[in-house]
Amino acid sequence: MSNPATPPAVGVLDERAPLTFPPGFLWGAATAAYQIEGAAAEGGRTPSIWDTFSHTEGRTVAGHTGDVACDHYHRLGDDVRLMAELGLKSYRFSVSWPRVQPGGSGPANAEGLDFYRRLVDELLAQGIEPWLTLYHWDLPQELEDAGGWPARDTAARFADYSQLVADALGDRVKYWTTLNEPWCSAFLGYGSGVHAPGRTDGAASVRAGHHLMLGHGLAVQALRAALPDAQLGVTVNLYPVTPATESPADADAARRIDGLANRFFLDPLLRGAYPDDLVADLAKVTDFGHVQDGDLATIATPLDLVGVNYYSRHVVAAPLPGEEPERYWRAATNWPGSEDVRFVTRGVPVTDMDWEIDAPGLVETLRRVHEEYTDLPLYVTENGSAFVDAVIDGQVDDAERLAYFDAHLRASHEAIAAGVPLRGYFAWSLLDNFEWAWGYTKRFGMIYVDYDSQTRIPKSSARWYAEVIRRNGLAAQ
Ligand code: FCB
């Protein structure tokens, strides 16, 4: 882990002084079950919506599936050793619901839970704090067949599953995240359908968003009762939304997209109410009749922390008559009731996902959550970038990814200096992995994975990150 590479300047933040983070800052890396585990049909696991979706023709690039992925299920020991070599203070992973509760109801599957017990034990043995996410998108297929997240009962099923995991792992896991990015589950899963289960129904996507949050609230109540000392939170993916021009029409477009992307989740979770303007924007899609008395109080059950996933910014403009809907995650149907808002590109550098690199947006996002919503400790639970990697002489020199991390860590530090109680940062991702609809074509890892041989190669960014962790900050440049 010597000789860390020097990040090239990316010109997004000027500061190039050495930066030290607060003592105890939780340096981590994140993954998700379906993206890395493989062993899709082993140990009693039953299919999730992602198995069904990825095995359906035309849903993922080149028909890629998570059947094998990084084979982490069989390589857990080696992977934890790699984490230890990086000096990670924490590892954020998710539990596969159909691995621990096949079919999504009934008793726990001991073999599935044993896998996570082993993982947690190995992490603890290496002094790495396990950070457990209960739902990173792998709904048991049977629950989708029964209506999925648009059906209210799925929220109760999620609380039930959460209780099983708490009973099994609560004695050794301190940090718990209920949901990862409910926006993606709701709007990519049920709106545009570019994610599993691939449904395209605006009203269903809004109901899904509500029931995800209801499930979160019920799960927090169950976890709180079972584990009074645990640190409980949720992870939302947030975007600053900027109008393309100063025109009132563009400002209104930004207000609408901010409503759907950010406030749809932040307001119920942290204020116990949907924003009035969002409800008005959605009037032609739904009358919110699915919201029952008491739901919003449940959704706003107090938390110990909030996780923020940050990747990029949305820049939007008012509709132009006759404009075609946008593609992929900005597909029109991701934005029910606001389908015609235009997403504008600014010509700034982008990652291999075509996501604009915007480190100051992370400062803005963290400050907003803190200043407008909550005093709770915040964690960046995901941040990272896909770039095309080349293995040359057995090495991967990912200078652009390294620069992305560097810029966003400087942004994190700036947020702390501005008073944000930011307590940790998790790089996405530990390993290259199954990037959902993009299959294995997008690499986000700090560790390169050769999917044929399952060889792991720590990239330059991994060696650099190890040095950042060791010094609890960034070197001068
Ligand atoms: C986030 C997801 C994560 C990964 C990154 C790139 O939306 O939580 O699983 O796909 O994006």
Side-chain angles (χ1 to χ4, degrees):
M1 296 296 164
S2 58
N3 189 24
T6 306
V10 285
V12 273
L13 288 178
D14 293 336
E15 201 169 358
R16 285 295 180 267
L19 293 177
T20 302
F21 281 70
F25 192 77
L26 199 60
W27 297 101
T31 63
Y34 191 70
Q35 295 181 276
I36 66 162
E37 284 180 5
E42 287 180 51
R45 181 184 181 279
T46 54
S48 77
I49 53 175
W50 269 98
D51 295 274
T52 308
F53 186 80
S54 64
H55 280 271
T56 305
E57 206 184 327
R59 292 303 207 172
T60 63
V61 172
H64 290 168
T65 74
D67 288 1
V68 178
C70 306
D71 198 31
H72 171 72
Y73 186 79
H74 298 116
R75 290 163 198 271
L76 175 165
D78 289 346
D79 288 342
V80 173
R81 270 188 291 283
L82 281 169
M83 296 177 212
E85 278 172 38
L86 289 182
L88 292 189
K89 304 288 187 213
S90 183
Y91 172 54
R92 175 175 177 256
F93 62 96
S94 79
V95 170
S96 161
W97 185 345
R99 197 181 284 295
V100 308
Q101 191 187 37
S105 58
N109 169 30
E111 204 178 341
L113 285 172
D114 279 348
F115 168 72
Y116 296 105
R117 283 196 191 98
R118 278 203 315 280
L119 172 61
V120 167
D121 286 348
E122 300 228 5
L123 290 169
L124 292 171
Q126 298 284 357
I128 301 171
E129 186 79 57
W131 185 303
L132 188 155
T133 297
L134 285 159
Y135 187 72
H136 202 127
W137 306 354
D138 40 4
L139 185 71
Q141 182 60 44
E142 289 81 354
L143 297 187
E144 174 57 23
D145 296 342
W149 286 110
R152 187 176 176 88
D153 189 52
T154 304
R157 299 277 65 75
F158 178 65
D160 184 45
Y161 149 71
S162 301
Q163 179 81 54
L164 295 184
V165 182
D167 290 346
L169 295 168
D171 59 342
R172 50 202 118 170
V173 174
K174 179 173 165 200
Y175 291 96
W176 296 75
T177 293
T178 53
L179 308 173
N180 179 71
E181 302 191 352
W183 182 86
C184 294
S185 300
F187 294 108
L188 295 179
Y190 294 91
S192 61
V194 302
H195 278 188
R199 283 162 62 180
T200 50
D201 176 341
S205 70
V206 175
R207 286 203 308 280
H210 182 73
H211 295 140
L212 281 150
M213 289 192 282
L214 182 62
H216 152 83
L218 294 170
V220 170
Q221 292 175 357
L223 292 170
R224 184 72 76 206
L227 312 172
D229 299 329
Q231 290 284 301
L232 308 179
V234 63
T235 277
V236 283
N237 54 318
L238 302 179
Y239 292 79
V241 184
T242 308
T245 72
E246 286 173 4
S247 76
D250 286 357
D252 196 57
R255 179 195 60 72
R256 296 178 81 103
I257 297 304
D258 178 53
L260 287 165
N262 301 317
R263 293 182 290 117
F264 186 105
F265 299 97
L266 288 172
D267 283 51
L269 290 165
L270 298 171
R271 291 182 180 159
Y274 283 105
D276 291 342
D277 66 312
L278 172 78
V279 173
D281 290 346
L282 281 166
K284 61 186 171 199
V285 178
T286 174
D287 62 4
F288 278 81
H290 52 276
V291 179
Q292 296 187 8
D293 283 354
D295 281 6
L296 284 155
T298 302
I299 289 170
T301 300
L303 299 172
D304 302 304
L305 59 93
V306 176
V308 174
N309 289 0
Y310 176 79
Y311 289 93
S312 190
R313 178 190 302 268
H314 293 315
V315 182
V316 300
L320 283 179
E323 176 93 357
E324 282 295 303
E326 289 277 338
R327 65 198 155 74
Y328 182 42
W329 57 298
R330 286 169 173 161
T333 45
N334 285 334
W335 310 102
S338 297
E339 290 86 353
D340 48 4
V341 169
R342 292 181 298 136
F343 285 78
V344 175
T345 48
R346 293 171 292 169
V348 305
V350 296
T351 69
D352 192 35
M353 301 294 284
D354 258 351
W355 298 349
E356 293 189 349
I357 301 171
D358 194 321
L362 176 57
V363 187
E364 240 174 276
T365 299
L366 293 171
R367 287 192 65 165
R368 180 192 193 183
V369 175
H370 175 61
E371 289 165 17
E372 294 181 24
Y373 285 95
T374 182
D375 287 333
L376 287 174
L378 306 184
Y379 291 81
V380 173
T381 38
E382 281 179 31
N383 174 242
S385 54
F387 287 102
V388 176
D389 291 317
V391 183
I392 298 168
D393 297 334
Q395 304 285 317
V396 180
D397 187 15
D398 60 336
E400 292 165 297
R401 186 177 294 100
L402 191 161
Y404 182 101
F405 283 135
D406 180 80
H408 289 77
L409 284 176
R410 288 178 191 279
S412 301
H413 195 277
E414 191 173 315
I416 294 170
V420 174
L422 181 68
R423 298 285 157 75
Y425 173 94
F426 290 77
W428 183 271
S429 178
L430 178 73
L431 303 168
D432 290 337
N433 59 45
F434 174 80
E435 179 46 34
W436 309 112
W438 292 97
Y440 299 98
T441 63
K442 304 292 180 190
R443 293 182 178 273
F444 276 90
M446 292 193 301
I447 297 175
Y448 184 89
V449 177
D450 176 328
Y451 295 109
D452 294 328
S453 65
Q454 291 294 348
T455 305
R456 274 80 162 129
I457 304 173
K459 305 177 190 177
S460 300
S461 61
R463 296 199 299 276
W464 170 86
Y465 193 53
E467 189 59 21
V468 170
I469 297 173
R470 198 191 58 72
R471 62 169 88 222
N472 195 36
L474 298 159
Q477 289 174 38

